[in-house]
Amino acid sequence: MTTHAAECEKACCAAAYGSDVVALLLGDSYHPGGPRLTRHLAQLLALAPEARVLDVASGRGATAMLLAREFALRVAGVDLSPANVALAQGAANAAGHADRLTFSVGDAERLPYPAAIFDAVVVECALCTFPDKPTAVAEMRRVVAPRGRIGLTDVVAEPDRLPQELRTWVARVACIASAVPMDSYVDLLHAAGWRVTRTERHDDALGRMIDQIGARLSVVAMAAAPRLSALGIDVTRAMPALGAARAAVADGALGYGLLVAEREPDHRSARDRGPS
């Protein structure tokens, strides 16, 4: 993919995730498992109160709000959608959490933070949508302190077993189109200087989200067909894609994975140190 194409893809994805229509389809958390899985991930990270956490692709702030409210963490959220950032910061301020929650517009492949300032990074159902995944996970490593951790949840898949219907734009919005096997996420993290300490499968969470999108899509389509079309979502093609996704989950070709990793000792490369 060319640089221009990658930037266009990121801009289109940000526009989709900033849309109220997509918010109606995906729900508040924007990821399978919702708050329950976020709590589980936070427990596995075992961070002390007041630890600093970066929530990458923070959306409208649901994960960041939960981490601040229930685990007393200080969270910075970064998202490519200005609309999402504005909504997340407004919600944090209204809830009285402005002292421990901040949100910024930024690209996961060029994080707008100095090196080694976070204790952990969380990224839920977003890495599979990044065009340059190696750069993104290297950037996440750069901004965490030594022995810092990453908590990742994402769609996992066996691409050779997926039907063509799962390469559509709605499949990308649902975090399916660019998913890779669990072992590939492990290899990706390892190559960027992370040591994976735990992996889990939560395929049932993805199945429930697919059902939720299907149930909501027909209702949303009646009220907002032009807005769906503007995002490139063709409802007549989306419903078969969701059916194919359900079948892929049932036969194990598609699922949802959780990974926890720790930053390996610094290799002292220029890329690890970040810009001087």
Side-chain angles (χ1 to χ4, degrees), residues 30-101:
Y30 279 37
H31 63 82
R36 176 191 60 79
L37 192 55
T38 299
R39 290 187 189 96
H40 178 58
L41 184 62
Q43 289 160 358
L44 292 175
L45 290 171
L47 297 169
E50 304 302 316
R52 295 201 63 189
V53 178
L54 176 64
D55 180 12
V56 177
S58 51
R60 299 190 175 192
T63 290
M65 288 278 284
L66 186 151
L67 295 175
R69 183 179 63 249
E70 299 187 19
F71 293 87
L73 301 173
R74 295 188 176 276
V75 187
V78 61
D79 197 274
L80 201 56
S81 165
N84 279 345
V85 168
L87 288 168
Q89 193 64 64
N93 296 346
H97 293 308
D99 60 330
R100 61 178 58 250
L101 279 172

Side-chain angles (χ1 to χ4, degrees), residues 111 113-115 139 142 270-276:
L111 291 172
Y113 304 100
E139 273 288 272
R142 181 184 66 80
R271 185 177 190 179
D272 287 336
R273 288 194 298 270
S276 58

Side-chain angles (χ1 to χ4, degrees), residues 14-28:
Y17 280 102
S19 164
D20 288 340
V21 174
V22 170
L24 287 173
L25 292 177
L26 298 183
D28 292 337

Side-chain angles (χ1 to χ4, degrees), residues 182-249:
M182 180 78 86
D183 287 348
S184 294
Y185 285 117
V186 173
D187 292 343
L188 182 67
L189 290 168
H190 178 72
W194 296 97
R195 179 175 63 89
V196 175
T197 58
R198 188 180 186 101
T199 63
E200 297 178 356
R201 292 287 292 252
H202 294 270
D203 298 0
D204 57 332
L206 179 61
R208 288 193 297 270
M209 187 171 207
I210 291 168
D211 289 342
Q212 170 190 294
I213 294 171
R216 294 179 177 184
L217 186 58
S218 57
V219 175
V220 172
M222 289 188 291
R227 294 167 66 189
L228 286 169
S229 296
L231 292 171
I233 299 175
D234 180 345
V235 177
T236 61
R237 297 179 63 187
M239 296 304 285
L242 290 171
R246 289 189 194 95
V249 172

Side-chain angles (χ1 to χ4, degrees), residues 130-153:
F130 299 162
D132 188 348
K133 296 172 183 62
T135 294
V137 295
E139 273 288 272
M140 294 174 205
R141 181 188 181 277
R142 181 184 66 80
V143 300
V144 299
R147 301 186 67 83
R149 298 165 208 159
I150 185 171
L152 164 68
T153 66

